[in-house]
Amino acid sequence: MAGLGTTEILIILAVVLLLFGSAKLPQLARSLGRSARILKTETKGLYEDDTPQPPPAPPTHLPPGPREQAALLRQEAARLERGAQRTRDI
């Protein structure tokens, strides 16, 4: 740990306790944890941006062209005409 022994760590903790007080230490630790969490999610987002995205898949169902639309409309018109003919016969 960068050449720090147990006594040096205890001295650093004592100085931090004297500077911030015992009431501020939980708030300081909480805000430090939030900052670390935010930094972690942001760096994860940056790594995800670097991964190549696969090209979008071509649509499996293409919309009908004008000829197909006309054929569908003719079929629908014939079906409606047969339905109308049946109601007239009744």
Side-chain angles (χ1 to χ4, degrees), residues 1-47:
M1 246 180 85
L4 293 178
T6 307
T7 55
E8 288 90 1
I9 292 174
L10 289 175
I11 291 172
I12 291 171
L13 288 175
V15 169
V16 168
L17 183 63
L18 287 173
L19 286 175
F20 293 107
S22 61
K24 293 280 185 178
L25 282 180
Q27 293 173 355
L28 181 67
R30 194 175 303 121
S31 66
L32 187 63
R34 285 183 188 144
S35 299
R37 191 177 320 121
I38 290 170
L39 180 66
K40 182 179 177 182
T41 57
E42 290 297 323
T43 55
K44 183 180 177 186
L46 288 175
Y47 286 129

Side-chain angles (χ1 to χ4, degrees), residues 61-76:
H61 177 67
L62 296 175
R67 290 183 186 208
E68 290 85 8
Q69 284 179 345
L72 289 173
L73 287 174
R74 282 192 298 273
Q75 290 174 355
E76 182 68 17

